[in-house]
Amino acid sequence: MQRVNRGTGMRERVHPPRFPDADEVVRASLEAQSTGAVDILFVNPPAPDRGIWIRSQHRVGRRSREGMIWPQVSLAQLAALFPDYRVEVIDAIPLRMDWAEFERLLEEKRPRYYVTQVTAPTLRNDMYGTFLARSMGATTIAFGTHVTPIPRETMRAFPSLDFALRGEPELTLRELIDTLERGTGRGAEGKEQEWWPGMDPAFAARLRKLFTDADPDWQPAWLCPTPLRDIKGLVWRDGGEIVVNPDRPFIRHLDDLPMPRHDLLPLERYRAPLVRGAYAFVVTSRGCPGGCRFCIKHVSYGSSIRFRSPENIVAELELLDELGVRNIHMYADLFTVSREQVMGLCELILQRGLRIRWTCNSRVDFVDPEMLQMMGKAGCWMISWGIESGSEEVLRRAHKGISLDQVEQALRWAHEAGIHNWGYFIIGLPGETEETIRETIRFAKRLPLDLALFHIAAPYPGSPFFFEVVEQGWFRPGTRWEQVDMDRSTVLDYPHLRAEELERWARRAFRAWALRPGPMWTYLRMLLGAPSMWRPALEIGLESLGWAVGS
């Protein structure tokens, strides 16, 4: 049979286009809940290099050269405000999760709301998570010390981000999600149980108190005709416009916050130098009265200071004890901000017989011998001190507000109380010279320090130091946010000290301090005292040594 070419004599035909519409099918597939699906997913995303990075609600981001894996208590605190939703925390850092693994997990969880923290040195990396989540149908929300001072430019640069939360995120997030869930004008005026239907009445009353104590005129945004505009602290998109709402007042009484959901965190995966076993952070206060110009706390809390009661803190310690956690870091901008709180906490720990080992931070002008002795008796075994420099002039220009004599005295008191000292130094603050760096090295070597870190000055967005660097033209040309890193590199170019010189001096300072018998013996004790920590300790040691020699 002869075959006919059907193309022979074919004429042109032009019909109205009728493209297939599969949107509804795909949308239904996206909305279908898998067995592992959650309403709200709180995320500490994978690191840019699968290494250990530090992110926190009110701290800067940086690579953790000392090997500390920070417990994500800020995510656990946010999760605690949503007992009426299915919530989960993904902390990709201790799991050493890469982006391929993270994407598979997102497919499984299919969150309706994706809440993530972002920091300057990891910004593009962190925002990749919002891109993935939004492609799966999630509403994306970010918070942290980068979006607070730079809300518009962050939203403009990353269209996959739906909302940003400025300042303290807890109440803004709760009001945002309630508003998105309820829509406009729904709920009943003045009745917590109708504002939050189905919620335990006691928790609803707690929420109302948190909102109204901070802002006496507060009314739920979802009762208003333009709800998103009435959510204080929110950054959002109104068509093509990025809207920055008025600031939300600070939470007035920290005791009113529910206990963080530590049970959602991989507590066994967190670690710190000389610590064995499960490890957690307990936030004891927010804010610091210090005026250090380089500090990020200016961005988060301004000059406010709030602290929890000793009884409230101990209740959290007892909760952690039930979870098998006895290694605690008292996490605060300044743990010793209130002498009365610290003494009361130590007394309660001793009265309750809590067998915990804990660490904290402090300023040298916020301690005294009696308090340090009490802290040692109550289980404090190490304090990290922000010493910054061995030059009185550099300290003065940084508005540190301490003297070198106070440093030596406070560290001696702590040593006499049986508490180890961990010193933090910053190379490259304004006024730094090669001679002041040498002064810092000499000073660090004569202090009774068990551990020391030498960071490089970083002008984090929104800090007074940042604005000084901009005004003086000290930013290296072509600087990207990812380069604003206090751990390995710097973006500072002083006329007399270039970036490469500051980096070289930071490595030299660490070598001069660490490669001595005392620090070497501390490191050896860490290895000998905990065989289970040999591998991470060796990793930390090799990484620090590699950085110090410039590899």
PDB file of all heavy atoms in Angstrom, residues 233-255:
ATOM      1  N   GLY A 233       5.633  46.735  63.780  1.00  0.00           N
ATOM      2  CA  GLY A 233       6.843  45.942  63.610  1.00  0.00           C
ATOM      3  C   GLY A 233       6.901  45.168  62.319  1.00  0.00           C
ATOM      4  O   GLY A 233       7.891  44.483  62.052  1.00  0.00           O
ATOM      5  N   LEU A 234       5.872  45.267  61.472  1.00  0.00           N
ATOM      6  CA  LEU A 234       5.792  44.461  60.253  1.00  0.00           C
ATOM      7  C   LEU A 234       6.286  45.240  59.036  1.00  0.00           C
ATOM      8  O   LEU A 234       6.037  46.434  58.899  1.00  0.00           O
ATOM      9  CB  LEU A 234       4.342  44.022  60.013  1.00  0.00           C
ATOM     10  CG  LEU A 234       4.099  43.104  58.805  1.00  0.00           C
ATOM     11  CD1 LEU A 234       4.746  41.743  59.044  1.00  0.00           C
ATOM     12  CD2 LEU A 234       2.609  42.955  58.523  1.00  0.00           C
ATOM     13  N   VAL A 235       7.002  44.537  58.160  1.00  0.00           N
ATOM     14  CA  VAL A 235       7.389  45.047  56.844  1.00  0.00           C
ATOM     15  C   VAL A 235       6.717  44.153  55.811  1.00  0.00           C
ATOM     16  O   VAL A 235       6.836  42.932  55.878  1.00  0.00           O
ATOM     17  CB  VAL A 235       8.920  45.037  56.658  1.00  0.00           C
ATOM     18  CG1 VAL A 235       9.301  45.714  55.350  1.00  0.00           C
ATOM     19  CG2 VAL A 235       9.621  45.718  57.836  1.00  0.00           C
ATOM     20  N   TRP A 236       6.012  44.739  54.843  1.00  0.00           N
ATOM     21  CA  TRP A 236       5.210  43.935  53.922  1.00  0.00           C
ATOM     22  C   TRP A 236       5.111  44.628  52.572  1.00  0.00           C
ATOM     23  O   TRP A 236       5.580  45.748  52.393  1.00  0.00           O
ATOM     24  CB  TRP A 236       3.819  43.684  54.511  1.00  0.00           C
ATOM     25  CG  TRP A 236       3.043  44.920  54.877  1.00  0.00           C
ATOM     26  CD1 TRP A 236       3.318  45.787  55.909  1.00  0.00           C
ATOM     27  CD2 TRP A 236       1.904  45.457  54.207  1.00  0.00           C
ATOM     28  NE1 TRP A 236       2.405  46.818  55.926  1.00  0.00           N
ATOM     29  CE2 TRP A 236       1.517  46.633  54.907  1.00  0.00           C
ATOM     30  CE3 TRP A 236       1.142  45.050  53.117  1.00  0.00           C
ATOM     31  CZ2 TRP A 236       0.424  47.403  54.516  1.00  0.00           C
ATOM     32  CZ3 TRP A 236       0.041  45.808  52.734  1.00  0.00           C
ATOM     33  CH2 TRP A 236      -0.304  46.965  53.431  1.00  0.00           C
ATOM     34  N   ARG A 237       4.498  43.930  51.624  1.00  0.00           N
ATOM     35  CA  ARG A 237       4.366  44.454  50.264  1.00  0.00           C
ATOM     36  C   ARG A 237       2.908  44.816  49.995  1.00  0.00           C
ATOM     37  O   ARG A 237       2.021  43.978  50.159  1.00  0.00           O
ATOM     38  CB  ARG A 237       4.826  43.409  49.240  1.00  0.00           C
ATOM     39  CG  ARG A 237       6.258  42.940  49.437  1.00  0.00           C
ATOM     40  CD  ARG A 237       6.631  41.855  48.441  1.00  0.00           C
ATOM     41  NE  ARG A 237       7.883  41.212  48.796  1.00  0.00           N
ATOM     42  CZ  ARG A 237       9.085  41.664  48.478  1.00  0.00           C
ATOM     43  NH1 ARG A 237       9.185  42.778  47.765  1.00  0.00           N
ATOM     44  NH2 ARG A 237      10.173  41.026  48.848  1.00  0.00           N
ATOM     45  N   ASP A 238       2.686  46.030  49.577  1.00  0.00           N
ATOM     46  CA  ASP A 238       1.359  46.470  49.150  1.00  0.00           C
ATOM     47  C   ASP A 238       1.458  46.734  47.654  1.00  0.00           C
ATOM     48  O   ASP A 238       1.787  47.836  47.214  1.00  0.00           O
ATOM     49  CB  ASP A 238       0.947  47.737  49.904  1.00  0.00           C
ATOM     50  CG  ASP A 238      -0.482  48.153  49.585  1.00  0.00           C
ATOM     51  OD1 ASP A 238      -1.177  47.402  48.879  1.00  0.00           O
ATOM     52  OD2 ASP A 238      -0.896  49.236  50.043  1.00  0.00           O
ATOM     53  N   GLY A 239       1.207  45.685  46.862  1.00  0.00           N
ATOM     54  CA  GLY A 239       1.464  45.787  45.429  1.00  0.00           C
ATOM     55  C   GLY A 239       2.958  45.920  45.203  1.00  0.00           C
ATOM     56  O   GLY A 239       3.753  45.108  45.664  1.00  0.00           O
ATOM     57  N   GLY A 240       3.360  46.992  44.537  1.00  0.00           N
ATOM     58  CA  GLY A 240       4.784  47.211  44.289  1.00  0.00           C
ATOM     59  C   GLY A 240       5.468  48.022  45.367  1.00  0.00           C
ATOM     60  O   GLY A 240       6.679  48.264  45.297  1.00  0.00           O
ATOM     61  N   GLU A 241       4.719  48.445  46.372  1.00  0.00           N
ATOM     62  CA  GLU A 241       5.288  49.274  47.445  1.00  0.00           C
ATOM     63  C   GLU A 241       5.703  48.419  48.633  1.00  0.00           C
ATOM     64  O   GLU A 241       4.982  47.502  49.038  1.00  0.00           O
ATOM     65  CB  GLU A 241       4.251  50.303  47.906  1.00  0.00           C
ATOM     66  CG  GLU A 241       4.741  51.207  49.030  1.00  0.00           C
ATOM     67  CD  GLU A 241       3.628  52.042  49.634  1.00  0.00           C
ATOM     68  OE1 GLU A 241       2.462  51.886  49.222  1.00  0.00           O
ATOM     69  OE2 GLU A 241       3.939  52.847  50.546  1.00  0.00           O
ATOM     70  N   ILE A 242       6.864  48.710  49.195  1.00  0.00           N
ATOM     71  CA  ILE A 242       7.311  48.046  50.428  1.00  0.00           C
ATOM     72  C   ILE A 242       6.943  48.967  51.582  1.00  0.00           C
ATOM     73  O   ILE A 242       7.363  50.128  51.639  1.00  0.00           O
ATOM     74  CB  ILE A 242       8.821  47.775  50.406  1.00  0.00           C
ATOM     75  CG1 ILE A 242       9.146  46.764  49.305  1.00  0.00           C
ATOM     76  CG2 ILE A 242       9.291  47.253  51.762  1.00  0.00           C
ATOM     77  CD1 ILE A 242      10.612  46.611  49.013  1.00  0.00           C
ATOM     78  N   VAL A 243       6.130  48.456  52.489  1.00  0.00           N
ATOM     79  CA  VAL A 243       5.590  49.259  53.584  1.00  0.00           C
ATOM     80  C   VAL A 243       6.281  48.864  54.887  1.00  0.00           C
ATOM     81  O   VAL A 243       6.334  47.680  55.235  1.00  0.00           O
ATOM     82  CB  VAL A 243       4.069  49.059  53.726  1.00  0.00           C
ATOM     83  CG1 VAL A 243       3.520  49.931  54.845  1.00  0.00           C
ATOM     84  CG2 VAL A 243       3.368  49.362  52.408  1.00  0.00           C
ATOM     85  N   VAL A 244       6.813  49.862  55.587  1.00  0.00           N
ATOM     86  CA  VAL A 244       7.409  49.642  56.901  1.00  0.00           C
ATOM     87  C   VAL A 244       6.471  50.240  57.941  1.00  0.00           C
ATOM     88  O   VAL A 244       6.346  51.462  58.051  1.00  0.00           O
ATOM     89  CB  VAL A 244       8.817  50.274  57.009  1.00  0.00           C
ATOM     90  CG1 VAL A 244       9.408  50.041  58.394  1.00  0.00           C
ATOM     91  CG2 VAL A 244       9.742  49.690  55.943  1.00  0.00           C
ATOM     92  N   ASN A 245       5.810  49.400  58.698  1.00  0.00           N
ATOM     93  CA  ASN A 245       4.858  49.861  59.702  1.00  0.00           C
ATOM     94  C   ASN A 245       5.568  50.492  60.901  1.00  0.00           C
ATOM     95  O   ASN A 245       6.778  50.290  61.085  1.00  0.00           O
ATOM     96  CB  ASN A 245       4.005  48.684  60.186  1.00  0.00           C
ATOM     97  CG  ASN A 245       3.003  48.231  59.143  1.00  0.00           C
ATOM     98  OD1 ASN A 245       2.856  48.842  58.087  1.00  0.00           O
ATOM     99  ND2 ASN A 245       2.303  47.137  59.425  1.00  0.00           N
ATOM    100  N   PRO A 246       4.859  51.226  61.737  1.00  0.00           N
ATOM    101  CA  PRO A 246       5.465  51.767  62.972  1.00  0.00           C
ATOM    102  C   PRO A 246       6.060  50.658  63.830  1.00  0.00           C
ATOM    103  O   PRO A 246       5.630  49.502  63.769  1.00  0.00           O
ATOM    104  CB  PRO A 246       4.279  52.436  63.674  1.00  0.00           C
ATOM    105  CG  PRO A 246       3.327  52.771  62.576  1.00  0.00           C
ATOM    106  CD  PRO A 246       3.454  51.661  61.566  1.00  0.00           C
ATOM    107  N   ASP A 247       7.050  51.014  64.624  1.00  0.00           N
ATOM    108  CA  ASP A 247       7.738  50.032  65.458  1.00  0.00           C
ATOM    109  C   ASP A 247       6.817  49.476  66.535  1.00  0.00           C
ATOM    110  O   ASP A 247       5.953  50.178  67.059  1.00  0.00           O
ATOM    111  CB  ASP A 247       8.965  50.662  66.128  1.00  0.00           C
ATOM    112  CG  ASP A 247      10.035  51.057  65.134  1.00  0.00           C
ATOM    113  OD1 ASP A 247      10.072  50.459  64.044  1.00  0.00           O
ATOM    114  OD2 ASP A 247      10.822  51.975  65.434  1.00  0.00           O
ATOM    115  N   ARG A 248       7.062  48.220  66.875  1.00  0.00           N
ATOM    116  CA  ARG A 248       6.318  47.597  67.977  1.00  0.00           C
ATOM    117  C   ARG A 248       7.047  47.870  69.289  1.00  0.00           C
ATOM    118  O   ARG A 248       8.271  47.668  69.376  1.00  0.00           O
ATOM    119  CB  ARG A 248       6.195  46.087  67.769  1.00  0.00           C
ATOM    120  CG  ARG A 248       5.428  45.389  68.901  1.00  0.00           C
ATOM    121  CD  ARG A 248       5.220  43.923  68.601  1.00  0.00           C
ATOM    122  NE  ARG A 248       4.364  43.724  67.454  1.00  0.00           N
ATOM    123  CZ  ARG A 248       3.040  43.719  67.476  1.00  0.00           C
ATOM    124  NH1 ARG A 248       2.403  43.925  68.622  1.00  0.00           N
ATOM    125  NH2 ARG A 248       2.344  43.528  66.385  1.00  0.00           N
ATOM    126  N   PRO A 249       6.349  48.316  70.322  1.00  0.00           N
ATOM    127  CA  PRO A 249       7.007  48.495  71.629  1.00  0.00           C
ATOM    128  C   PRO A 249       7.556  47.166  72.151  1.00  0.00           C
ATOM    129  O   PRO A 249       7.061  46.092  71.795  1.00  0.00           O
ATOM    130  CB  PRO A 249       5.871  49.007  72.525  1.00  0.00           C
ATOM    131  CG  PRO A 249       4.859  49.574  71.588  1.00  0.00           C
ATOM    132  CD  PRO A 249       4.941  48.735  70.344  1.00  0.00           C
ATOM    133  N   PHE A 250       8.568  47.262  72.985  1.00  0.00           N
ATOM    134  CA  PHE A 250       9.189  46.052  73.531  1.00  0.00           C
ATOM    135  C   PHE A 250       8.242  45.325  74.487  1.00  0.00           C
ATOM    136  O   PHE A 250       7.394  45.946  75.147  1.00  0.00           O
ATOM    137  CB  PHE A 250      10.470  46.399  74.292  1.00  0.00           C
ATOM    138  CG  PHE A 250      11.573  46.903  73.399  1.00  0.00           C
ATOM    139  CD1 PHE A 250      12.102  48.177  73.589  1.00  0.00           C
ATOM    140  CD2 PHE A 250      12.079  46.114  72.386  1.00  0.00           C
ATOM    141  CE1 PHE A 250      13.117  48.650  72.771  1.00  0.00           C
ATOM    142  CE2 PHE A 250      13.098  46.571  71.569  1.00  0.00           C
ATOM    143  CZ  PHE A 250      13.615  47.845  71.760  1.00  0.00           C
ATOM    144  N   ILE A 251       8.399  44.014  74.564  1.00  0.00           N
ATOM    145  CA  ILE A 251       7.671  43.211  75.545  1.00  0.00           C
ATOM    146  C   ILE A 251       8.026  43.748  76.926  1.00  0.00           C
ATOM    147  O   ILE A 251       9.201  43.908  77.265  1.00  0.00           O
ATOM    148  CB  ILE A 251       8.048  41.726  75.407  1.00  0.00           C
ATOM    149  CG1 ILE A 251       7.527  41.186  74.068  1.00  0.00           C
ATOM    150  CG2 ILE A 251       7.491  40.902  76.574  1.00  0.00           C
ATOM    151  CD1 ILE A 251       8.065  39.815  73.724  1.00  0.00           C
ATOM    152  N   ARG A 252       7.022  44.017  77.724  1.00  0.00           N
ATOM    153  CA  ARG A 252       7.265  44.686  79.004  1.00  0.00           C
ATOM    154  C   ARG A 252       7.782  43.730  80.068  1.00  0.00           C
ATOM    155  O   ARG A 252       8.730  44.046  80.790  1.00  0.00           O
ATOM    156  CB  ARG A 252       5.966  45.366  79.476  1.00  0.00           C
ATOM    157  CG  ARG A 252       6.133  46.174  80.754  1.00  0.00           C
ATOM    158  CD  ARG A 252       7.052  47.360  80.561  1.00  0.00           C
ATOM    159  NE  ARG A 252       7.368  48.022  81.811  1.00  0.00           N
ATOM    160  CZ  ARG A 252       8.358  47.675  82.621  1.00  0.00           C
ATOM    161  NH1 ARG A 252       9.144  46.643  82.312  1.00  0.00           N
ATOM    162  NH2 ARG A 252       8.597  48.336  83.727  1.00  0.00           N
ATOM    163  N   HIS A 253       7.151  42.570  80.202  1.00  0.00           N
ATOM    164  CA  HIS A 253       7.516  41.632  81.270  1.00  0.00           C
ATOM    165  C   HIS A 253       7.918  40.294  80.645  1.00  0.00           C
ATOM    166  O   HIS A 253       7.060  39.545  80.150  1.00  0.00           O
ATOM    167  CB  HIS A 253       6.343  41.430  82.236  1.00  0.00           C
ATOM    168  CG  HIS A 253       5.844  42.701  82.850  1.00  0.00           C
ATOM    169  ND1 HIS A 253       6.598  43.447  83.733  1.00  0.00           N
ATOM    170  CD2 HIS A 253       4.664  43.369  82.706  1.00  0.00           C
ATOM    171  CE1 HIS A 253       5.910  44.518  84.103  1.00  0.00           C
ATOM    172  NE2 HIS A 253       4.742  44.495  83.493  1.00  0.00           N
ATOM    173  N   LEU A 254       9.202  39.996  80.682  1.00  0.00           N
ATOM    174  CA  LEU A 254       9.694  38.764  80.054  1.00  0.00           C
ATOM    175  C   LEU A 254       9.136  37.515  80.729  1.00  0.00           C
ATOM    176  O   LEU A 254       9.026  36.458  80.096  1.00  0.00           O
ATOM    177  CB  LEU A 254      11.227  38.735  80.070  1.00  0.00           C
ATOM    178  CG  LEU A 254      11.941  39.841  79.286  1.00  0.00           C
ATOM    179  CD1 LEU A 254      13.447  39.627  79.337  1.00  0.00           C
ATOM    180  CD2 LEU A 254      11.459  39.912  77.841  1.00  0.00           C
ATOM    181  N   ASP A 255       8.769  37.612  82.003  1.00  0.00           N
ATOM    182  CA  ASP A 255       8.184  36.455  82.699  1.00  0.00           C
ATOM    183  C   ASP A 255       6.872  36.011  82.060  1.00  0.00           C
ATOM    184  O   ASP A 255       6.439  34.869  82.245  1.00  0.00           O
ATOM    185  CB  ASP A 255       7.925  36.784  84.172  1.00  0.00           C
ATOM    186  CG  ASP A 255       9.174  36.665  85.031  1.00  0.00           C
ATOM    187  OD1 ASP A 255      10.260  36.473  84.459  1.00  0.00           O
ATOM    188  OD2 ASP A 255       9.056  36.771  86.266  1.00  0.00           O
TER     189      ASP A 255
END
